[in-house]
Each structure stands twice: as structure tokens, then as C-alpha cells.
Amino acid sequence: MAAAVEPLLQKCATLSHIKQLQAHLITAGVFEFYPSPRSKFLEFCATSSAAGSLLYAADIFRHIAFPVTNDWNAVIRGLAQSHQPADAVIFYRRGLRVLTCKPDALTCSFTLKACARALACNEAIQIHSQVVRYGFIADVLLQTTLLDVYAKSGYLDDARRLFDEMSKLDVTCWNAMIAGLAQGNRPNEALQLFTRMRDVGFKPNAITVIGALSACAQLGTIREGESMYNYIKSQNLDANEQVCNVAIDMFGKCGYVGRAYRVFNDMKCPKTLVTWNTMIMVMGTNGEGLEALKLFDQMDKEGFQPDNVSYLAALCACNHAGMVEHGIKLFETMAEDDSVIPNIKHYGAMVDLLGRSGRLNEAYNIIDSIPIKPDIVLWQTLLGACKTYGNIEMAEKASRKLAELGSSSDGDFVLLSNIYAAHHRWKDVRRVRDSMKEKEVKKVPGFSYIDIDGVIHKFVNGDQSHSDLQPIYQKLDEIKCRIMEHGYVPETDYVLHDIGTEEKQNALNYHSEKLAVAFGLLSLGTTSPIRVNKNLRICGDCHEVMKLVSKVYEREIIVRDRTRFHRFKDGLCSCKDYW
Ligand code: ZN
Ligand code: ZN
């Protein structure tokens, strides 16, 4: 019977065809007495591209006197694949109340897939316990789907538990787990799992190494990155363009722009627009502005039409190269030359570019001219520029706008209070401090980490937990003495006003990145560059200290903060003191 329905279904292209066939099946008694062709019909109806057919299938289900599990599964499957996968979960719950429908492994699998798409983790947890109750938990497909939901929705502990309990692991599982851990800010675990996967004899594929590379990029440590890339080459996985793109990005994020360029140059597969964009962005964010702009011209010559990402990368590069006029020209002609309409990020780059060169009025006008509602970041960028140029009037304007937009970032308040402090306007500093308290703005605690021989050491401001505290603080004192001989004066403006001068100096002295650098000087060989990752924006005092340390100790220091790389060498920083 089911086979007889098949050819008729193939002829249904519209909802009205489907309804005609349904009428025929009802008359022939198929709907009432033959569940198997009925389920087939429902499955077709629920997954057909004919407009309205999915809702119609759900409606038919409601009118079947004694629906069977396959009828139910057919509709859940259609809903799970639709634009509103959450409806599949609702439909699943409704079916549970129908006596003739008993969930099977497929019912749970379709519903869990819907949860994965809708990122409905709470629902997935409930279905997980039902899966255990129904005795389906040994089903590998179900386990994999569950793992996928947990990993994608960031429930990494649940995903990990499930993963560790799974008796059979196929590569899909490894990939889901490694990618989940990398995206969930647990790069060390992701890399450990990658090693384990190889140890137990699974062969990583392109998807696995993309997850692992992005874990390396997050760690910003070249050792893992380099060994991962060597592995990729040995397995010929670098013949995949996406792998190369992620590798370029990874080397860039580790601060090795030359290494990134080598991957770009040595690619065995054709470059794509994404490849060019990634390389230009890497150059730009690593302070190689001129090289980035050369690449931007070259991509055009090689027949790649720049898109909005290319323009953004080029504008960022202009920032780093201080090429203001060039940036303005790119911005003004992008729509005409390449039909790229500026979006909020391009506007942001322009505000940064103009602000960086002190053209604050023009930056203000740019924000003012944006047809869409300007976002908070633009005003924050302008506020940052006001700090650099000590423009109180513009800073107040920007702060008012930020308040109007409901920003409650501690950074904005601290910036404004620092601007006042630099001009000794203590009353205003106090006012900003009070409004911070009133609005209950909390300071995000700063931390930095540094990799020493494959072990990640984390420091918080004024750290008291590291096992080598005494030598680290001694080293910091030594650093301070040596750089003071080279003219260092602590910039206590960066500390809130209501503590004494000595306390301010201490608070500054023990910023997490300074502790990490002191530890780096103690622990790394005399020539290795010191690489530090920091969760917040580096403060002005730490920036000055890093510059001097790079000169006095003849050591390259790379600090990756929340927004960019700072490469300190011979007393200068690649950001040209603007960040
Ligand atoms: Zn600092
Ligand atoms: Zn810098």
C-alpha cells in the first residue's frame, strides 16, 4: 500500500495537489485503515516545499482518530527542519499526550535535532532524561545528537560528561566536542582532546583541525599553533582552503604575521575572497598597515572584487599605517567602486581613524551622519580619542550619548573620570565616581595569562595565588627601578582618584599584565619574546612600562588585549600609542 502511494506523491507540487490526493486516500479508506501509507503521505506533506504544506500536515495529524508513532515522527521531522524548529518540541509534547503514540528513538532524535537548531538546551535536558527512561540511551545516533545540542548551546560540562560516557565514538562526536570546547573558551581542553583523539587512533579531518586551530588561536601560543600546522601539512589537510584560512588567522592571532603570510603564499589550493580578507586583516591588526593595503590592491588585480569585509580590513590597516586621507578616500568611494554600502563597522573604523589623528569634530560628524542608530561602540571609540587628545568638551558630549543609549560599561566611566583627572578636575571625577556607584556599575576584574613551557599561568591584578609570588614581586621592583632610570613616571591618572598616591602606585604596579611580564622575564630564555594575553584593554601605564621594558631588557613583548595586539620592541609599540 505504501509503495502504491509513492508515485502519486511525486506528482504533488502544490498544496492543492496534496489536498486532492488526501481526498482520494480518504475515500479509498487508506487514511483510516492503513497507517503505513498515511504516514508516508504525512511525511511527504511535512517536508514538501509546497507553501503551507507543513502546517497542513500538523493539522491533519490533529484530526487522525488513532495516530501512530510514524505519523507523529513525520510531522516532528518536518517542523525540526523548518524555520521554527522550536515548534517541533511543542509538537513532541503534544504527541506525548496521545495514547496511541509511543515515542521511539527516531521521535527523540528528530526532537533533539530541533533542540540543537533552536539552541533549546533546557528542553534537550528534559528529553535526555526521557531518552534514559525509555531505554534509548545506547543509541549512538541519539547520543551524538545530544552531544551536539549540549556543545552548540555551550553546556560544555554536560556535553563532556556524555562524551566521556559514550561507548562508541565516531568522528562526528570528536568534532562536535572539540569545536564546542574551542568556541566555549576552553581551548586547552579542546587541544587535549585533539591529542587523545589521535592517541586512540581516530584520524582528524578538516573539520577537526579547524576546531583545533581555533583553540590555538584563542590561546595565542605559537608552540601549539605551529605543531598543529605541521600536523596538518603532514596529513595533506592544508589542501583544504578553509583550513588554510583558519591557519592564517591563527598565526595572525598569535602575532606571527610572517608565518601567516607563508601559509597564504604556499597554499596548494586556490585562494578565495575569505583568504584575501583574512590575510589583509591579519596584516592590519598586527600593525603592518602598508603591507595590508598593498595586498588590498593586489587582490583587485587578481580578479577578486573586494566585499564589505575587505573594505573593513583595509580601513583598519589605514588606521595602523596612519594613512588618514587614504582611509577617507576608500570610505568615500567604496559604494561607487565596488557597490559596498558602508555598515556600522565601517563607520566604526572611520571614527577610529579620524579620532586617532585628532580630528574629533569630523569623527563626531561621521557618527552623527549614520542613517542607522549609532551603536555604543562608536561613542566609546570617540570617548577613547577624547582621552588621547584631552578634549573634555567632546568627551562630555560622547558620554551623554552613551548615557542616552543606556551604556553601563565600567570602561566608559573610568575613561571619563580619567579625562577629568588629567585636567585636575577632581569635583567632576567625584561626580563620575558617584554616578558609577549609583548605577551600580561593577568593574570587570582584569586578568592576564602567559604560557611557560606549555603551562598556562594566570594572573589577576595584585595576584596573591601564584606559587612564585616572591620572586615575581621582586622582579617587578627591579623592573620599576631600572625603567625609572630611563625616565619612567607612574601614570597614576589611570587609577581612580580616591586612594593615596602610594596606594595608587601599588595598584598600578600590580596590574596582571605586569605580573605576567615579570614572570616571563624570570622564566623564559633570554631571547624568547614574551607573549601575554589580557582580557581587558591594556591601561596607559602598563603600555608605557611594556615599551620601556622592551628597550631596557632588549626583549620583544606581545600583549594581546581585548581589542588588539601590541608588539613592543625597542621602546616602541606597533599600535603607535593609540588603542
Ligand atoms: Zn595596567
Ligand atoms: Zn600598543
Side-chain angles (χ1 to χ4, degrees):
M1 232 352 170
V5 171
E6 201 78 54
L8 295 171
L9 286 172
Q10 296 315 320
K11 288 185 185 142
C12 295
T14 64
L15 187 57
S16 103
H17 292 163
I18 290 174
K19 285 181 178 173
Q20 280 173 31
L21 178 61
Q22 187 198 2
H24 169 72
L25 294 175
I26 290 172
T27 324
V30 171
F31 250 64
E32 208 175 338
F33 303 111
Y34 300 95
S36 169
R38 183 181 65 210
S39 300
K40 268 263 164 294
F41 173 83
L42 269 178
E43 189 186 319
F44 177 84
C45 190
T47 52
S48 152
S49 57
S53 64
L54 174 59
L55 286 179
Y56 191 65
D59 205 41
I60 295 174
F61 178 86
R62 278 182 215 111
H63 290 93
I64 300 174
F66 302 105
V68 296
T69 303
N70 282 346
D71 297 328
W72 189 28
N73 288 354
V75 182
I76 294 179
R77 183 179 165 196
L79 289 168
Q81 293 169 356
S82 75
H83 296 302
Q84 285 168 307
D87 286 353
V89 185
I90 299 170
F91 204 81
Y92 166 79
R93 291 225 182 91
R94 182 175 298 145
L96 286 177
R97 295 196 292 266
V98 178
L99 283 177
T100 45
C101 290
K102 288 274 168 278
D104 61 11
L106 273 182
T107 324
C108 298
S109 172
F110 293 145
T111 315
L112 282 173
K113 281 196 175 128
C115 293
R117 287 195 57 220
L119 298 182
C121 206
N122 286 331
E123 285 75 6
I125 291 170
Q126 285 174 20
I127 297 167
H128 186 171
S129 66
Q130 285 161 358
V131 165
V132 174
R133 194 146 27 94
Y134 301 141
F136 304 145
I137 194 62
D139 187 305
V140 178
L141 189 70
L142 270 180
Q143 289 176 339
T144 312
T145 315
L146 261 173
L147 179 71
D148 198 39
V149 189
Y150 287 143
K152 277 199 183 120
S153 8
Y155 281 61
L156 293 174
D157 291 330
D158 296 281
R160 192 60 209 254
R161 208 170 306 124
L162 191 69
F163 182 86
D164 291 337
E165 284 167 5
M166 279 169 84
S167 49
K168 271 190 213 152
L169 290 164
D170 63 14
V171 178
T172 319
C173 301
W174 290 97
N175 287 349
M177 199 62 237
I178 290 171
L181 288 167
Q183 278 157 20
N185 242 337
R186 285 159 69 164
N188 283 317
E189 246 180 284
L191 292 178
Q192 281 161 11
L193 208 62
F194 182 82
T195 313
R196 209 178 101 199
M197 173 180 184
R198 284 173 54 193
D199 288 348
V200 296
F202 275 102
K203 207 169 142 58
N205 62 14
I207 300 173
T208 334
V209 295
I210 285 173
L213 279 172
S214 76
C216 295
Q218 267 184 54
L219 282 176
T221 51
I222 189 66
R223 190 198 328 271
E224 280 84 358
E226 190 70 68
S227 89
M228 186 64 64
Y229 188 65
N230 286 338
Y231 173 78
I232 287 167
K233 278 210 301 202
S234 73
Q235 301 297 309
N236 240 346
L237 289 165
D238 60 335
N240 177 311
E241 148 260 330
Q242 272 179 312
V243 171
C244 295
N245 296 345
V246 182
I248 293 169
D249 181 62
M250 181 275 294
F251 280 121
K253 290 210 168 106
C254 292
Y256 283 78
V257 66
R259 205 51 206 85
Y261 191 67
R262 235 170 50 225
V263 178
F264 176 81
N265 241 354
D266 295 348
M267 272 170 75
K268 295 176 195 155
C269 47
K271 295 178 179 60
T272 62
L273 186 59
V274 178
T275 317
W276 285 92
N277 288 351
T278 310
M279 193 63 234
I280 296 171
M281 200 53 112
V282 163
M283 295 259 187
T285 47
N286 278 282
E288 304 282 348
L290 281 169
E291 291 301 316
L293 291 174
K294 268 192 215 161
L295 270 186
F296 184 77
D297 288 338
Q298 199 188 329
M299 77 182 273
D300 209 20
K301 284 189 195 112
E302 298 203 11
F304 289 90
Q305 190 182 4
D307 68 354
N308 63 343
V309 183
S310 330
Y311 270 99
L312 183 63
L315 287 176
C316 293
C318 288
N319 261 340
H320 287 280
M323 298 169 73
V324 187
E325 297 305 330
H326 196 103
I328 294 173
K329 194 162 163 260
L330 274 177
F331 183 72
E332 283 175 352
T333 55
M334 59 196 274
E336 202 179 305
D337 289 357
D338 289 300
S339 315
V340 177
I341 307 296
N343 64 29
I344 199 83
K345 289 189 176 156
H346 300 104
Y347 284 107
M350 282 311 289
V351 172
D352 199 9
L353 180 66
L354 290 165
R356 174 189 287 244
S357 55
R359 292 158 75 161
L360 301 178
N361 282 320
E362 283 166 82
Y364 181 88
N365 290 340
I366 286 263
I367 310 182
D368 220 28
S369 74
I370 299 175
I372 21 179
K373 193 179 159 202
D375 90 359
I376 285 176
V377 178
L378 296 193
W379 294 111
Q380 287 172 332
T381 309
L382 182 60
L383 189 59
C386 294
K387 163 81 182 75
T388 310
Y389 288 97
N391 188 330
I392 293 188
E393 200 187 323
M394 188 64 85
E396 286 173 337
K397 265 190 186 175
S399 298
R400 267 198 300 276
K401 293 284 186 185
L402 281 165
E404 277 170 31
L405 290 168
S407 160
S408 56
S409 150
D410 63 321
D412 301 346
F413 287 94
V414 173
L415 258 181
L416 184 63
S417 107
N418 285 344
I419 296 171
Y420 285 131
H423 288 79
H424 306 283
R425 284 173 54 170
W426 306 120
K427 250 194 202 159
D428 289 313
V429 172
R430 170 70 56 197
R431 189 171 47 75
V432 177
R433 293 278 288 138
D434 287 346
S435 81
M436 250 176 115
K437 270 187 205 142
E438 199 182 296
K439 295 195 171 101
E440 295 182 349
V441 177
K442 297 244 175 353
K443 286 203 72 166
V444 178
F447 63 82
S448 299
Y449 51 94
I450 181 168
D451 174 355
I452 309 283
D453 295 328
V455 180
I456 307 288
H457 296 259
K458 183 176 167 179
F459 293 92
V460 295
N461 290 349
D463 202 282
Q464 293 299 322
S465 60
H466 196 276
S467 52
D468 288 327
L469 276 188
Q470 213 195 346
I472 294 171
Y473 280 97
Q474 271 170 3
K475 189 75 186 173
L476 261 186
D477 287 341
E478 176 211 300
I479 291 173
K480 197 174 157 191
C481 290
R482 284 192 61 183
I483 61 176
M484 273 179 151
E485 288 166 15
H486 286 76
Y488 166 69
V489 183
E491 285 191 48
T492 46
D493 284 354
Y494 291 100
V495 187
L496 294 167
H497 172 59
D498 55 358
I499 52 175
T501 313
E502 197 179 331
E503 261 180 282
K504 272 185 192 176
Q505 289 198 12
N506 281 340
L508 267 184
N509 245 345
Y510 305 139
H511 274 183
S512 62
E513 57 269 54
K514 289 196 183 95
L515 292 165
V517 166
F519 187 57
L521 282 172
L522 280 171
S523 323
L524 292 165
T526 49
T527 51
S528 324
I530 296 172
R531 288 164 194 281
V532 173
N533 287 308
K534 155 119 203 199
N535 67 329
L536 303 175
R537 188 175 173 275
I538 185 172
C539 85
D541 187 70
C542 288
H543 198 267
E544 203 50 39
V545 168
M546 301 295 166
K547 285 192 340 197
L548 287 164
V549 171
S550 75
K551 186 171 152 191
V552 175
Y553 288 80
E554 293 178 19
R555 191 71 78 93
E556 195 175 344
I557 300 171
I558 295 129
V559 177
R560 192 170 124 195
D561 76 359
R562 196 182 58 189
T563 47
R564 67 182 78 211
F565 271 107
H566 300 267
R567 184 186 292 272
F568 302 93
K569 208 177 166 183
D570 303 328
L572 296 172
C573 180
S574 60
C575 77
K576 301 191 172 69
D577 294 341
Y578 189 98
W579 69 96

